[in-house]
Amino acid sequence: MSDGHGDLIKTPKQLIIVCIVALVVPVAIAYLGAQLVTGSKRIDESEAKKSVEQRIKPVGEIAKFDGTPPPAPVAAAAGAVVKAKSGEEVYQAACTACHGAGIAGAPKTGDKTAWAARVTQGAATLYDHAIKGFKTMPAKGGQTALSDDEVKAAVDYQLAKLK
Ligand code: HEC
Protein backbone atom coordinates (compact mmCIF):
# COMPACT_ATOMS: atom_id res chain seq x y z
CA MET A 1 0.00 0.00 0.00
CA SER A 2 2.66 2.51 0.98
CA ASP A 3 4.54 4.08 -1.90
CA GLY A 4 7.57 4.57 0.26
CA HIS A 5 7.16 8.33 0.72
CA GLY A 6 6.51 7.85 4.37
CA ASP A 7 3.18 9.72 4.31
CA LEU A 8 2.39 11.50 7.57
CA ILE A 9 -1.30 11.46 6.80
CA LYS A 10 -2.45 7.94 7.12
CA THR A 11 -5.95 8.26 8.51
CA PRO A 12 -8.92 10.63 7.89
CA LYS A 13 -8.50 11.85 11.46
CA GLN A 14 -4.95 12.98 10.71
CA LEU A 15 -6.17 14.70 7.55
CA ILE A 16 -8.71 16.69 9.50
CA ILE A 17 -6.10 17.76 12.07
CA VAL A 18 -3.68 18.86 9.36
CA CYS A 19 -6.42 20.82 7.61
CA ILE A 20 -7.37 22.60 10.83
CA VAL A 21 -3.75 23.44 11.63
CA ALA A 22 -3.16 24.61 8.07
CA LEU A 23 -6.14 26.96 8.36
CA VAL A 24 -5.72 28.18 11.90
CA VAL A 25 -1.98 28.90 11.95
CA PRO A 26 -1.87 31.37 9.00
CA VAL A 27 -5.05 33.07 10.20
CA ALA A 28 -3.57 33.45 13.68
CA ILE A 29 -0.33 34.82 12.26
CA ALA A 30 -2.22 37.22 10.01
CA TYR A 31 -4.37 38.34 12.92
CA LEU A 32 -1.39 38.95 15.20
CA GLY A 33 0.42 40.77 12.40
CA ALA A 34 -2.57 42.96 11.78
CA GLN A 35 -2.88 43.68 15.50
CA LEU A 36 0.75 44.71 15.58
CA VAL A 37 0.31 47.17 12.72
CA THR A 38 -3.14 48.60 13.38
CA GLY A 39 -2.68 48.51 17.16
CA SER A 40 0.15 51.02 17.05
CA LYS A 41 -1.69 52.98 14.40
CA ARG A 42 -4.71 53.33 16.69
CA ILE A 43 -2.58 54.98 19.35
CA ASP A 44 -1.26 57.42 16.74
CA GLU A 45 -4.79 58.24 15.62
CA SER A 46 -6.08 58.95 19.11
CA GLU A 47 -3.09 61.17 19.80
CA ALA A 48 -3.52 63.00 16.53
CA LYS A 49 -7.18 63.54 17.39
CA LYS A 50 -6.24 64.89 20.80
CA SER A 51 -3.74 67.36 19.37
CA VAL A 52 -6.24 68.51 16.76
CA GLU A 53 -8.84 69.05 19.45
CA GLN A 54 -6.31 71.05 21.41
CA ARG A 55 -5.55 73.23 18.42
CA ILE A 56 -9.16 73.89 17.45
CA LYS A 57 -10.59 74.33 20.95
CA PRO A 58 -12.01 77.81 21.65
CA VAL A 59 -9.71 80.33 23.30
CA GLY A 60 -12.21 81.33 25.95
CA GLU A 61 -14.84 79.18 27.53
CA ILE A 62 -18.27 80.55 28.27
CA ALA A 63 -19.44 79.92 31.81
CA LYS A 64 -23.03 78.85 31.99
CA PHE A 65 -25.26 81.44 33.62
CA ASP A 66 -27.50 79.67 36.10
CA GLY A 67 -29.61 82.69 37.04
CA THR A 68 -27.89 83.66 40.29
CA PRO A 69 -25.63 86.71 40.03
CA PRO A 70 -22.04 86.24 41.19
CA PRO A 71 -22.14 87.18 44.88
CA ALA A 72 -18.70 88.69 45.55
CA PRO A 73 -18.75 91.83 43.32
CA VAL A 74 -22.34 92.61 44.31
CA ALA A 75 -21.47 92.44 48.00
CA ALA A 76 -18.41 94.62 47.40
CA ALA A 77 -20.51 97.22 45.57
CA ALA A 78 -23.11 97.25 48.34
CA GLY A 79 -20.32 97.66 50.90
CA ALA A 80 -18.94 100.62 48.97
CA VAL A 81 -22.33 102.34 48.99
CA VAL A 82 -22.93 101.77 52.70
CA LYS A 83 -19.40 102.69 53.73
CA ALA A 84 -19.23 106.21 55.15
CA LYS A 85 -16.88 108.66 53.51
CA SER A 86 -13.67 109.45 55.36
CA GLY A 87 -13.19 112.87 56.90
CA GLU A 88 -10.78 113.87 54.18
CA GLU A 89 -13.15 112.70 51.43
CA VAL A 90 -16.03 114.70 52.93
CA TYR A 91 -13.81 117.75 53.41
CA GLN A 92 -12.57 117.62 49.80
CA ALA A 93 -16.12 117.22 48.50
CA ALA A 94 -18.04 119.68 50.71
CA CYS A 95 -15.77 121.99 52.70
CA THR A 96 -12.63 122.87 50.81
CA ALA A 97 -14.53 125.23 48.49
CA CYS A 98 -14.79 127.76 51.35
CA HIS A 99 -12.32 126.55 53.95
CA GLY A 100 -9.51 125.74 51.52
CA ALA A 101 -8.88 129.38 50.65
CA GLY A 102 -10.79 131.06 53.53
CA ILE A 103 -13.60 132.34 51.33
CA ALA A 104 -16.48 134.50 52.67
CA GLY A 105 -14.98 134.75 56.13
CA ALA A 106 -14.55 130.99 56.51
CA PRO A 107 -11.61 130.11 58.75
CA LYS A 108 -8.93 128.75 56.45
CA THR A 109 -8.03 125.14 57.07
CA GLY A 110 -4.63 124.89 58.77
CA ASP A 111 -4.67 128.60 59.78
CA LYS A 112 -4.10 128.34 63.54
CA THR A 113 -4.85 132.01 64.21
CA ALA A 114 -8.18 131.89 62.39
CA TRP A 115 -9.20 128.73 64.26
CA ALA A 116 -7.74 129.53 67.72
CA ALA A 117 -10.86 131.19 69.21
CA ARG A 118 -13.19 128.65 67.54
CA VAL A 119 -11.28 125.64 68.84
CA THR A 120 -11.69 126.89 72.44
CA GLN A 121 -15.45 126.30 72.08
CA GLY A 122 -14.74 122.59 72.09
CA ALA A 123 -15.22 119.94 69.44
CA ALA A 124 -18.89 119.36 70.36
CA THR A 125 -19.82 122.98 69.52
CA LEU A 126 -17.78 122.90 66.30
CA TYR A 127 -19.55 119.68 65.25
CA ASP A 128 -22.88 121.28 66.07
CA HIS A 129 -22.11 124.43 64.08
CA ALA A 130 -20.85 122.42 61.13
CA ILE A 131 -23.93 120.17 61.14
CA LYS A 132 -26.60 122.81 61.81
CA GLY A 133 -24.85 125.80 60.30
CA PHE A 134 -23.37 128.86 62.00
CA LYS A 135 -23.85 132.45 60.80
CA THR A 136 -22.67 132.42 57.16
CA MET A 137 -21.49 128.78 57.50
CA PRO A 138 -24.23 126.71 55.79
CA ALA A 139 -25.48 123.54 57.51
CA LYS A 140 -23.23 120.63 56.47
CA GLY A 141 -21.49 123.04 54.09
CA GLY A 142 -24.67 122.91 51.98
CA GLN A 143 -24.32 119.16 51.39
CA THR A 144 -27.42 118.05 53.27
CA ALA A 145 -27.04 114.48 52.00
CA LEU A 146 -24.03 114.03 54.29
CA SER A 147 -24.63 112.20 57.56
CA ASP A 148 -23.84 113.95 60.86
CA ASP A 149 -20.95 111.52 61.39
CA GLU A 150 -19.50 112.39 57.99
CA VAL A 151 -19.60 116.12 58.84
CA LYS A 152 -18.01 115.38 62.24
CA ALA A 153 -15.27 113.44 60.47
CA ALA A 154 -14.67 116.47 58.22
CA VAL A 155 -14.41 118.74 61.30
CA ASP A 156 -11.94 116.27 62.83
CA TYR A 157 -9.96 116.48 59.60
CA GLN A 158 -9.94 120.31 59.84
CA LEU A 159 -8.85 120.15 63.49
CA ALA A 160 -6.11 117.64 62.67
CA LYS A 161 -4.75 120.13 60.11
CA LEU A 162 -4.21 122.64 62.90
CA LYS A 163 -1.72 120.41 64.70
C1 HEC B 1 -20.21 128.07 51.57
C2 HEC B 1 -18.95 128.17 52.28
C3 HEC B 1 -18.69 127.11 53.34
C4 HEC B 1 -18.68 125.77 53.18
C5 HEC B 1 -18.95 124.96 51.90
C6 HEC B 1 -18.32 125.22 54.47
N1 HEC B 1 -18.12 126.19 55.38
FE1 HEC B 1 -17.61 125.93 57.31
N2 HEC B 1 -17.68 127.94 57.57
C7 HEC B 1 -17.96 128.86 56.58
C8 HEC B 1 -17.92 130.20 57.16
C9 HEC B 1 -18.16 131.49 56.40
C10 HEC B 1 -17.59 130.04 58.52
C11 HEC B 1 -17.43 131.11 59.55
C12 HEC B 1 -18.76 131.40 60.21
C13 HEC B 1 -18.61 132.55 61.16
O1 HEC B 1 -18.06 132.31 62.25
O2 HEC B 1 -19.02 133.63 60.79
C14 HEC B 1 -17.44 128.61 58.75
C15 HEC B 1 -17.14 128.05 59.95
C16 HEC B 1 -16.95 126.70 60.17
C17 HEC B 1 -16.61 126.11 61.44
C18 HEC B 1 -16.37 126.85 62.73
C19 HEC B 1 -17.66 127.04 63.45
C20 HEC B 1 -17.48 127.77 64.74
O3 HEC B 1 -18.19 127.46 65.66
O4 HEC B 1 -16.62 128.68 64.78
C21 HEC B 1 -16.53 124.77 61.26
C22 HEC B 1 -16.20 123.73 62.29
C23 HEC B 1 -16.84 124.54 59.88
N3 HEC B 1 -17.10 125.71 59.24
C24 HEC B 1 -16.87 123.31 59.31
C25 HEC B 1 -17.22 123.08 58.01
C26 HEC B 1 -17.29 121.76 57.45
C27 HEC B 1 -17.00 120.48 58.18
C28 HEC B 1 -17.66 121.89 56.16
C29 HEC B 1 -17.91 120.81 55.16
C30 HEC B 1 -18.87 119.80 55.52
C31 HEC B 1 -17.82 123.31 55.91
N4 HEC B 1 -17.53 123.98 57.05
C32 HEC B 1 -18.19 123.85 54.70
C33 HEC B 1 -18.24 128.60 55.27
C34 HEC B 1 -18.34 127.36 54.72
Side-chain angles (χ1 to χ4, degrees):
M1 277 274 281
S2 176
D3 57 3
H5 284 175
D7 284 340
L8 284 166
I9 301 161
K10 286 172 182 134
T11 64
K13 198 179 161 197
Q14 279 177 333
L15 183 67
I16 290 166
I17 289 167
V18 167
C19 283
I20 288 168
V21 169
L23 261 173
V24 166
V25 170
V27 166
I29 288 167
Y31 176 75
L32 289 175
Q35 277 294 96
L36 215 71
V37 172
T38 59
S40 61
K41 209 174 171 189
R42 259 205 295 279
I43 293 166
D44 287 345
E45 269 169 18
S46 76
E47 249 158 34
K49 200 179 161 203
K50 237 188 267 167
S51 73
V52 167
E53 274 169 0
Q54 204 127 61
R55 272 177 276 147
I56 65 167
K57 87 172 178 194
V59 173
E61 270 166 33
I62 297 158
K64 237 202 254 161
F65 182 62
D66 61 359
T68 47
V74 170
V81 169
V82 170
K83 193 186 153 231
K85 290 196 195 91
S86 77
E88 185 176 359
E89 283 169 344
V90 174
Y91 174 82
Q92 295 298 343
C95 321
T96 193
C98 296
H99 288 276
I103 284 166
K108 198 175 161 185
T109 300
D111 183 341
K112 287 180 185 152
T113 325
W115 281 91
R118 302 179 189 275
V119 169
T120 55
Q121 301 173 104
T125 305
L126 294 175
Y127 292 153
D128 195 56
H129 288 170
I131 291 162
K132 291 177 186 153
F134 179 69
K135 299 185 198 169
T136 43
M137 158 75 201
K140 297 184 176 177
Q143 308 277 320
T144 47
L146 291 171
S147 72
D148 289 1
D149 284 339
E150 283 170 333
V151 176
K152 281 182 192 175
V155 173
D156 287 341
Y157 175 81
Q158 286 177 315
L159 295 177
K161 286 284 167 189
L162 297 171
K163 282 166 190 159

